Amino acid sequence: MHRYSEPLQIDEVNLPKPKGEEVIIKVGAAGVCHSDIHFMHGEWQKTLPVKLPLTVGHETAGYVEEVGESVKGLAKGDVVAVFGGWGCGVCINCKGGDEQLCMHARWPGLSQFDGGYAEYMHIPSYRFLIRANGMDPKMLAPLTDAGLTPYRAVKKIRRMLNPGSYTLLFGVGGLGCYAIQYLKLMSPTNVIAVVRNEGKARLAREMGADHVINSKTEDVISAIRKITENRGVDVSLDIVASRDTLDVGFASLGKKGTLVLVGLMGETLNVPIMQSVINEHKVIGSLWGNYNELAEVIALARKQKLKTPINQFNLMEVNKATETLANGKIDGRAILVP
Ligand SMILES: [Zn+2]
Ligand SMILES: [Zn+2]
């Protein structure tokens, strides 16, 4: 990425020699995320300032190519998933296990570290890799963000989800496909997915959604009232978080309902005070996931319990891939394969 809002360029760059804890991986696949689109359009220049050029991509898996002299437990050819929430390792959040919440975060492809839209990637420490021999990097790459982010969110709310409860889900894209599966695997809740076209409706049902509402043809709030018999939903899991989905999600919450913010489309949340107080509503944010949660997601996928719908592009078609995603034309996750 040389300039914001311009097509990405394919450049030849030198491959560094790994020293100490560093590892060079040969990229097997890199997921294309909506965050990359926001980032590439310069929408996050204030929160994530970077010096360009930079290689995008924070959802990567591949093979160990070369290791520094103090790397332990990894050898050339090992299949690895890259945990992307790189932290300092010593602050209170890192020590607590939530390295993705580090005050000095240095995420690949979103900070001054080059990401995975490449043939090779430089990893500053083997601490950020999870060995996953026997797994296909094409299935593994999407797990590191699209699979990980909803996993953390669902873990936060699963104790609220008793039999007979309702969870409303906005966004049946890369993350949403996993979110439905986790909700069904980890809780007895009824999942109501809100989609904008028939393709996504089919996908939502395939992933296990109990009810699907097409917002293009139905009034979402009255459909939810009908499904929940006017009770409202227990949780609205918003992977889109645009002004529309936030308003509808909030209006659909029942007593003691919780709004979970995962998406980053909108800018602010309008909360009516009276309604929140008398119904004891809660709002919680959920960011990416930590290293152990990624290990759990990989363990779940190893049991072949996770379906990952993938749209594969060659690395050379990177601009076509990002454009197709930006236009909402990807069902599942887009990946780049060098
Ligand atoms: Zn992402
Ligand atoms: Zn830290």
Side-chain angles (χ1 to χ4, degrees):
M1 175 166 86
H2 284 258
R3 268 172 292 276
Y4 290 114
S5 299
E6 281 185 19
L8 298 178
Q9 236 171 275
I10 306 271
D11 291 344
E12 289 287 338
V13 294
N14 289 330
L15 197 60
K17 189 95 186 135
K19 298 184 294 289
E21 291 189 358
E22 298 168 2
V23 180
I24 300 292
I25 67 160
K26 188 173 183 350
V27 175
V32 184
C33 180
H34 264 290
S35 298
D36 297 334
I37 313 265
H38 292 295
F39 182 70
M40 281 157 48
H41 280 98
E43 291 166 33
W44 294 351
Q45 286 182 60
K46 279 202 186 112
T47 33
L48 298 171
V50 288
K51 224 172 89 220
L52 300 176
L54 182 83
T55 305
V56 184
H58 56 275
E59 197 179 86
T60 322
Y63 306 91
V64 171
E65 175 70 15
E66 202 180 349
V67 298
E69 64 283 1
S70 33
V71 170
K72 290 182 190 72
L74 288 176
K76 184 171 170 145
D78 277 345
V79 175
V80 282
V82 180
F83 166 71
W86 299 350
C88 69
V90 291
C91 75
I92 188 165
N93 290 321
C94 287
K95 285 293 183 193
D98 283 326
E99 207 156 326
Q100 84 283 11
L101 296 176
C102 178
M103 301 280 289
H104 318 284
R106 34 180 199 161
W107 302 339
L110 293 166
S111 74
Q112 219 50 66
F113 288 79
D114 286 317
Y117 287 15
E119 288 175 286
Y120 294 90
M121 186 174 164
H122 173 251
I123 314 289
S125 172
Y126 67 101
R127 291 196 296 118
F128 304 132
L129 296 173
I130 297 183
R131 200 160 67 110
N133 285 349
M135 289 187 73
D136 181 350
K138 290 176 196 160
M139 305 305 277
L140 203 53
L143 297 181
T144 64
D145 177 21
L148 177 58
T149 304
Y151 181 77
R152 181 174 176 84
V154 170
K155 267 188 103 172
K156 281 179 197 275
I157 53 171
R158 67 173 161 166
R159 284 183 213 291
M160 302 171 190
L161 302 173
N162 295 323
S165 64
Y166 289 93
T167 302
L168 180 62
L169 178 82
F170 290 98
V172 183
L175 282 75
C177 284
Y178 290 106
I180 299 172
Q181 295 178 74
Y182 298 142
L183 285 165
K184 298 310 288 183
L185 276 167
M186 293 156 68
S187 91
T189 197
N190 298 294
V191 177
I192 308 171
V194 180
V195 298
R196 286 193 298 181
N197 62 55
E198 265 320 297
K200 302 258 185 201
R202 232 176 295 124
L203 195 58
R205 282 191 205 97
E206 219 173 279
M207 295 297 134
D210 301 278
H211 305 272
V212 180
I213 301 169
N214 186 338
S215 63
K216 281 270 184 303
T217 57
E218 290 172 83
D219 177 63
V220 180
I221 294 180
S222 44
I224 292 165
R225 282 206 189 110
K226 200 166 158 214
I227 294 166
T228 63
E229 295 174 325
N230 288 322
R231 205 181 91 186
V233 300
D234 297 273
V235 169
S236 172
L237 177 51
D238 201 335
I239 284 171
V240 179
S242 66
R243 167 158 287 179
D244 282 356
T245 64
L246 290 168
D247 286 350
V248 173
F250 199 83
S252 307
L253 290 180
K255 301 258 178 207
K256 294 187 168 184
T258 303
L259 179 64
V260 184
L261 300 175
V262 175
L264 294 162
M265 288 287 183
E267 282 175 358
T268 50
L269 174 66
N270 273 324
V271 176
I273 306 296
M274 181 69 154
Q275 207 186 330
S276 320
V277 173
I278 63 172
N279 292 307
E280 295 200 339
H281 287 156
K282 284 182 286 295
V283 178
I284 57 176
S286 192
L287 176 71
W288 211 340
N290 66 33
Y291 184 95
N292 286 345
E293 286 162 344
L294 178 56
E296 288 164 24
V297 166
I298 292 171
L300 204 53
R302 258 193 201 283
K303 285 189 153 180
Q304 299 188 320
K305 279 203 168 149
L306 289 180
K307 288 180 242 170
T308 306
I310 276 171
N311 295 238
Q312 188 175 325
F313 294 83
N314 187 280
L315 178 62
M316 304 305 274
E317 306 172 292
V318 57
N319 292 309
K320 186 177 152 200
T322 54
E323 213 172 285
T324 316
L325 177 66
N327 293 333
K329 298 260 163 66
I330 302 278
D331 285 338
R333 196 53 152 183
I335 56 165
L336 298 171
V337 176

